[in-house]
Amino acid sequence: MTPVLPVADIMSSITSVLDAISSFWANLAAVNWVALLFGLTVFVIYQSFRSRAAFNILRAAYPDEEIGFRYIWGAYMAGYGFNSVMPARSGDIVRLFLTKTSVPNSTYSAVAAAMMSELIFDGVMAVFILTFAFSQGVFPKPPDFSSLASFDLAFFAQHPDFTVFMITFSAVAVLVILAMLSARIQSFWARVRQGLTMLRDRRRYLREVFLLQFIGWCFRFTAFWMFLEAFHVGGSVHNVLLMLGINAVGALVPITPQGAGIQQALILQVFGGVATASVVAAYSVGQQIAIASTMFAIAFACIFFLFGFRSFKDIIAAGKAERAAEKQAAGARAG
């Protein structure tokens, strides 16, 4: 039987979010704005280091092309900004298109592979951070996710068989698509390998990607310390690592923008014994609002001033037009 999202769980999740928003507005006057603004500034610096690592990956894949860092930075910021306000990581599509148009003679498959190679660092750090988080006694174990006031995470936790089925179905679907494209699969994998060029030079990868991402991670650590201080939850190594663990779990189920519902539910439980319920609730929503509004403002500025688009729809329309032109050109060459 196909599981159905329980209405009660959805309403409970919505109620929890609304209560947290109410607490945020009630505690707005108590926010340490200096710490908040400093945290947001440092957070943008963190994203800039990430974008520089992405630029180095693309430069390795396309050594003969002239690539402007500001455009790769703008594409990265635009993607993250749209992910902050749109569900299902829709911003990744924006970033993919903007990056592809910023790298002469590039292909979507190579650029997508380059983007995927950035996740190695995230996977390594997630192992250490989640190991710490689950060992502290305040972080819920995976079986307990089903009781959280977050309908998306609770749904998948309550239906493990369906979750495994969806993962398996997705993997099979990818294999079927690859089989259908078997006539072009050789050139496809060649472009993917091009996007992963950086990984074949370990020293260069460690120096130009992993190291930059680690420096960026240090800025991210500082940013969340400031956010915890700004909302009076309390900045500490322990609390920041727990918060980063919450972010890691939220990234696993990106149904809501930046896993907002999951993060909010986990913050309420993990930090429930650190500060009062109203303070924790205000932090759970206030931090997400601050990051999302800041990054979306930067994203809109990038697509308007750097790339000349006026809206998300314009980007999608341009992407479709480019894909249609590429197919037409490929058909003409085949003919």
Side-chain angles (χ1 to χ4, degrees):
M1 179 182 297
T2 302
V4 179
L5 279 173
V7 176
D9 288 348
I10 297 176
M11 293 306 298
S12 175
S13 181
I14 293 174
T15 300
S16 178
V17 172
L18 292 177
D19 290 342
I21 293 175
S22 177
S23 295
F24 166 67
W25 288 113
N27 289 272
L28 190 61
V31 172
N32 183 335
W33 291 99
V34 174
L36 180 60
L37 292 175
F38 181 73
L40 291 172
T41 301
V42 174
F43 192 84
V44 173
I45 295 174
Y46 148 65
Q47 295 290 355
S48 297
F49 270 95
R50 294 272 304 192
S51 67
R52 185 67 191 187
F55 170 76
N56 289 340
I57 293 172
L58 290 166
R59 192 169 55 178
Y62 294 95
D64 298 326
E65 302 295 342
E66 185 175 347
I67 307 173
F69 170 64
R70 62 173 179 161
Y71 293 104
I72 305 304
W73 178 87
Y76 192 97
M77 292 296 180
Y80 192 95
F82 278 100
N83 275 338
S84 299
V85 297
M86 299 182 66
R89 298 193 65 86
S90 303
D92 288 351
I93 300 175
V94 175
R95 181 191 169 191
L96 177 63
F97 170 71
L98 294 178
T99 301
K100 196 268 181 187
T101 59
S102 301
V103 180
N105 300 312
S106 62
T107 61
Y108 282 109
S109 49
V111 172
M115 291 170 57
M116 292 296 294
S117 65
E118 300 170 21
L119 302 180
I120 295 175
F121 174 85
D122 298 328
V124 171
M125 296 303 297
V127 170
F128 291 104
I129 292 171
L130 288 175
T131 299
F132 170 83
F134 285 121
S135 68
Q136 298 306 296
V138 294
F139 209 89
K141 302 296 187 293
D144 299 327
F145 287 166
S146 59
S147 61
L148 294 175
S150 173
F151 75 89
D152 40 9
L153 185 59
F155 173 75
F156 287 108
Q158 290 168 2
H159 304 93
D161 293 340
F162 179 74
T163 302
V164 173
F165 167 77
M166 288 302 298
I167 295 174
T168 305
F169 176 81
S170 299
V172 172
V174 170
L175 293 177
V176 171
I177 293 173
L178 291 178
M180 293 174 63
L181 297 175
S182 58
R184 300 163 56 187
I185 200 68
Q186 187 173 358
S187 61
F188 169 78
W189 283 116
R191 293 191 293 269
V192 170
R193 286 193 295 271
Q194 182 180 9
L196 300 176
T197 299
M198 177 65 83
L199 300 183
R200 294 196 288 272
D201 188 339
R202 295 180 183 177
R203 290 185 178 180
R204 185 179 181 185
Y205 169 76
L206 290 174
R207 182 179 66 253
E208 297 186 8
V209 180
F210 200 94
L211 178 60
L212 286 178
Q213 289 180 313
F214 180 75
I215 295 173
W217 184 88
C218 293
F219 278 100
R220 182 189 185 199
F221 186 97
T222 304
F224 279 102
W225 188 304
M226 291 295 100
F227 295 148
L228 288 162
E229 285 292 321
F231 290 93
H232 305 290
V233 176
S236 66
V237 173
H238 177 268
N239 287 350
V240 173
L241 290 177
L242 288 178
M243 189 60 229
L244 294 179
I246 290 172
N247 284 344
V249 174
L252 296 176
V253 190
I255 296 177
T256 55
Q258 295 293 341
I262 296 173
Q263 290 193 41
Q264 192 260 342
L266 285 171
I267 288 172
L268 291 176
Q269 178 159 341
V270 171
F271 293 106
V274 177
T276 63
S278 61
V279 168
V280 175
Y283 167 69
S284 69
V285 172
Q287 173 185 271
Q288 292 170 356
I289 291 176
I291 293 176
S293 58
T294 299
M295 295 308 299
F296 184 70
I298 294 175
F300 189 80
C302 287
I303 67 170
F304 186 84
F305 293 107
L306 273 179
F307 299 102
F309 294 106
R310 295 185 178 181
S311 67
F312 178 73
K313 291 183 179 179
D314 288 347
I315 297 176
I316 298 299
K320 290 181 178 179
E322 182 179 5
R323 290 294 292 170
E326 288 183 351
K327 290 181 179 179
Q328 185 176 3
R333 289 193 297 269

